[in-house]
Amino acid sequence: MKRIEKLALIGFVFSMFSTVGLAQTADDKYGKDPEECKTKISLYREVFKQKNYKEAYEPWKWVKENCPMSTKNIFTNGPTILEYKIQEAGTDTALREQYIKELFDLFELRIKCYPQDEGYSLGRIGTYLYKYYPKQEYQKIYEILGQSIDLDGIKTSPQVLDVYFKASEIKMKLDKLSTEIMIDAYDKITDVLNVQIDTCELKHEASMHAIYKLREDLENGTITEDEYAVIYEERAADSAKTANEWKQYTNVSNNLDLRFAKYAQCDVLMDIYGKKFATNKTDERLLKQIIKFFAKQGCTDNQLFADAVEAFYQIKPTANLAFNMARINMKKKSYNAALNYLNEAIAMYEKESDKITAYIIMIECQKQLNQYSAARETAYKILKLNPTDGRAYMLIGDLYAGSIGACTGIDIPASVYWAAADKYNKAKAIDPSVAEDAQKRIASISGRFPAVSTYFQLGLKKGDSYKVGCWINETTIIR
């Protein structure tokens, strides 16, 4: 959009641009009076550091108006100073409006001085418009934030994404539009959020693997305890940072999902997308939207979802499409076909969490096919990716406990429950998140442990070692 259109869109007159900073270049970044500029910068920075925003205002304003290219800090510190002045104005409406206008002027000036910050600056203008004029300027907020997201893409801040969704909601209600505007807004937002979440998760996985590797080095004796302590502190800090970033974006995504749910129930999605799919079954964006929204809303039992997945898979097979094809085939009880699709998905997935989810589904397919040994091997693949994921041992325990009918030929068939209990205890030991479920399973199977008379006649007693045969082939302790 051209500059004049942007200014008209925001609806404010930014008259200062005809006189402020327009002739300044990198060679004279300190303006016509360099010494005065440097003095004012020093003065405003000193009081700003002391959070004395009242005293910072005048020297900051002088720098902004006379040498805006001297330091980018005038743009990063300016909003804090101006928000203080807005609050200080209190009930003086005219003065308050003056400072609000100056706040918007500041971001337009930032675009003028730093064109590469246009997306960011429009995002801040939009969020401040929402803060001060949420209903009066909803149309401008909606359009400005839409531009910001288009310009910044995956760099868009969570706040901008959140406010864009809120502005879309206000626009829908005041303009009496259909819920399709909310679906379009959610689609635009999640295209950004999903990339951010995946990127943060991959960074966190890398930081955790650095810690796993460090522990291996300590166990192997390639580093000393002192070296371990120093390096671990650094890597733990990195892991905490990446985990926090991942959590922030995930929280925004979860909150949006909750707010979006009321606008995209299965019947609404069917009504909107059923007609579109019937007339165009090869539109990739349409197919992507159907799959994303139906999956988010739990509408995956719908035939339209299955048809869209199959159609998109034929055009452009991806890891997620292969995974969904596996789920569809599972529902048809076509477990071998499902396994093929899962293997394809795992080979393409980058994130460990995605691979682990696929492995969990794979174990269920293998169990249905009575492929117990293969299912256990799959569970151990989970532990190779994440040694602290107790779900792997929980699944192995379930496989053992579920083998009672298949292991009737051994001396003590019910010994499978001892082996299962071992795995549940292992799960508790490595993963607190599954401890409660593990304990419930132990309590459930403990009543089915072999009777004392069963193993006493074999010359065994409580506390002895016992090798469970059948496909399990592991040594346990008699309870």
Side-chain angles (χ1 to χ4, degrees):
M1 181 176 288
K2 295 179 181 178
R3 171 75 51 198
I4 189 170
E5 292 174 321
K6 283 177 185 157
L7 298 181
L9 176 64
I10 296 171
F12 290 92
V13 180
F14 300 103
S15 58
M16 67 158 57
F17 301 134
S18 61
T19 58
V20 177
L22 299 186
Q24 197 176 2
T25 66
D27 293 332
D28 63 344
K29 71 174 189 174
Y30 290 105
K32 295 179 180 179
D33 191 344
E35 291 306 314
E36 182 68 6
C37 180
K38 292 173 184 178
T39 299
K40 297 290 189 185
I41 291 172
S42 178
L43 178 59
Y44 109 72
R45 278 184 176 176
E46 187 60 34
V47 288
F48 184 87
K49 288 176 184 177
Q50 299 168 11
K51 298 185 178 180
N52 186 351
Y53 306 131
K54 183 174 184 177
E55 294 299 323
Y57 175 71
E58 288 299 337
W60 167 82
K61 184 178 180 180
W62 192 96
V63 175
K64 177 192 67 173
E65 294 179 350
N66 292 277
C67 47
M69 292 292 288
S70 58
T71 170
K72 202 169 186 177
N73 282 332
I74 68 163
F75 299 106
T76 54
N77 299 152
T80 302
I81 295 171
L82 288 170
E83 285 200 275
Y84 170 83
K85 298 297 285 184
I86 292 166
Q87 186 176 6
E88 186 186 46
T91 57
D92 188 333
T93 304
L95 187 59
R96 186 172 182 271
E97 289 294 318
Q98 174 188 319
Y99 290 128
I100 291 175
K101 177 182 179 298
E102 191 173 354
L103 180 62
F104 292 120
D105 287 349
L106 177 66
F107 286 107
E108 274 292 317
L109 179 59
R110 180 169 180 164
I111 294 173
K112 179 77 63 179
C113 295
Y114 300 97
Q116 69 272 24
D117 292 350
E118 183 175 3
Y120 170 82
S121 297
L122 289 176
R124 294 298 299 273
I125 289 170
T127 54
Y128 277 122
L129 274 172
Y130 179 81
K131 180 177 181 178
Y132 296 115
Y133 314 107
K135 292 188 178 179
Q136 304 95 312
E137 302 291 348
Y138 72 89
Q139 180 65 35
K140 294 168 188 173
I141 297 166
Y142 174 77
E143 293 182 17
I144 289 169
L145 291 181
Q147 290 179 55
S148 174
I149 295 169
D150 289 340
L151 287 168
D152 269 1
I154 62 172
K155 295 186 295 181
T156 304
S157 73
Q159 184 186 19
V160 167
L161 298 172
D162 184 56
V163 175
Y164 178 68
F165 191 83
K166 291 175 181 176
S168 302
E169 190 170 30
I170 293 172
K171 179 176 171 60
M172 179 196 70
K173 291 176 180 177
L174 295 184
D175 290 353
K176 297 180 180 180
L177 302 175
S178 74
T179 57
E180 194 163 353
I181 187 176
M182 301 308 301
I183 294 174
D184 289 341
Y186 183 80
D187 186 41
K188 189 184 190 81
I189 291 167
T190 52
D191 278 351
V192 175
L193 269 179
N194 291 342
V195 173
Q196 290 175 322
I197 290 170
D198 286 350
T199 300
C200 288
E201 186 174 353
L202 286 168
K203 287 180 181 178
H204 182 62
E205 286 175 359
S207 68
M208 288 303 297
H209 274 284
I211 292 176
Y212 300 151
K213 178 63 167 59
L214 185 64
R215 289 174 181 166
E216 288 178 7
D217 290 343
L218 179 63
E219 292 169 1
N220 295 335
T222 55
I223 60 173
T224 66
E225 289 278 357
D226 290 341
E227 289 172 328
Y228 173 84
V230 173
I231 301 172
Y232 177 80
E233 187 175 347
E234 296 175 356
R235 294 187 180 177
D238 183 54
S239 175
K241 179 183 177 182
T242 56
N244 184 56
E245 291 173 348
W246 183 18
K247 182 180 180 181
Q248 286 181 11
Y249 287 120
T250 301
N251 286 343
V252 171
S253 179
N254 290 340
N255 289 334
L256 282 174
D257 286 348
L258 290 173
R259 286 154 51 194
F260 175 68
K262 61 183 177 181
Y263 299 115
Q265 297 175 356
C266 294
D267 57 340
V268 174
L269 292 174
M270 266 299 298
D271 184 56
I272 293 173
Y273 288 105
K275 298 171 185 175
K276 293 181 179 180
F277 181 75
T279 57
N280 193 348
K281 298 182 180 181
T282 58
D283 184 328
E284 293 186 21
R285 181 161 182 79
L286 172 63
L287 296 173
K288 181 181 176 181
Q289 288 178 331
I290 293 172
I291 294 164
K292 177 165 68 173
F293 295 142
F294 278 59
K296 281 282 187 183
Q297 298 302 93
C299 311
T300 54
D301 287 334
N302 195 295
Q303 186 58 44
L304 177 56
F305 174 79
D307 291 343
V309 169
E310 291 181 17
F312 204 0
Y313 180 84
Q314 295 302 320
I315 298 170
K316 185 186 293 183
T318 65
N320 285 331
L321 289 172
F323 179 80
N324 280 310
M325 287 294 289
R327 296 297 296 268
I328 290 168
N329 277 276
M330 276 189 72
K331 289 174 185 176
K332 297 177 182 177
K333 297 185 178 181
S334 301
Y335 300 114
N336 283 313
L339 287 173
N340 289 333
Y341 284 118
L342 287 168
N343 279 317
E344 185 178 339
I346 290 166
M348 289 189 283
Y349 273 139
E350 291 185 30
K351 294 193 301 178
E352 289 173 2
S353 61
D354 289 332
K355 291 178 183 286
I356 288 172
T357 299
Y359 280 138
I360 290 171
I361 302 300
M362 179 176 285
I363 290 168
E364 179 59 30
C365 289
Q366 291 166 328
K367 183 179 176 182
Q368 292 294 331
L369 293 169
N370 295 321
Q371 297 175 358
Y372 293 108
S373 294
R376 177 172 58 188
E377 184 179 340
T378 300
Y380 281 121
K381 289 178 181 179
I382 293 174
L383 291 168
K384 286 182 180 179
L385 290 174
N386 184 356
T388 64
D389 194 331
R391 291 176 298 175
Y393 285 116
M394 293 287 285
L395 289 166
I396 296 173
D398 292 345
L399 289 169
Y400 287 0
S403 295
I404 186 67
C407 294
T408 55
I410 59 178
D411 292 336
I412 308 177
S415 61
V416 298
Y417 297 121
W418 289 333
D422 290 342
K423 298 307 177 186
Y424 296 142
N425 279 317
K426 184 70 172 176
K428 284 170 53 179
I430 68 166
D431 189 350
S433 70
V434 302
E436 185 177 347
D437 284 342
Q439 190 56 48
K440 287 179 181 178
R441 281 177 169 80
I442 292 170
S444 175
I445 65 172
S446 60
R448 288 176 273 176
F449 285 168
V452 175
S453 58
T454 303
Y455 56 79
F456 181 75
Q457 64 185 358
L458 295 175
L460 302 170
K461 63 182 183 300
K462 185 177 179 180
D464 286 350
S465 295
Y466 177 78
K467 187 167 186 178
V468 182
C470 195
W471 71 273
I472 296 173
N473 201 33
E474 287 188 3
T475 298
T476 185
I477 301 297
I478 294 175
R479 276 83 160 165

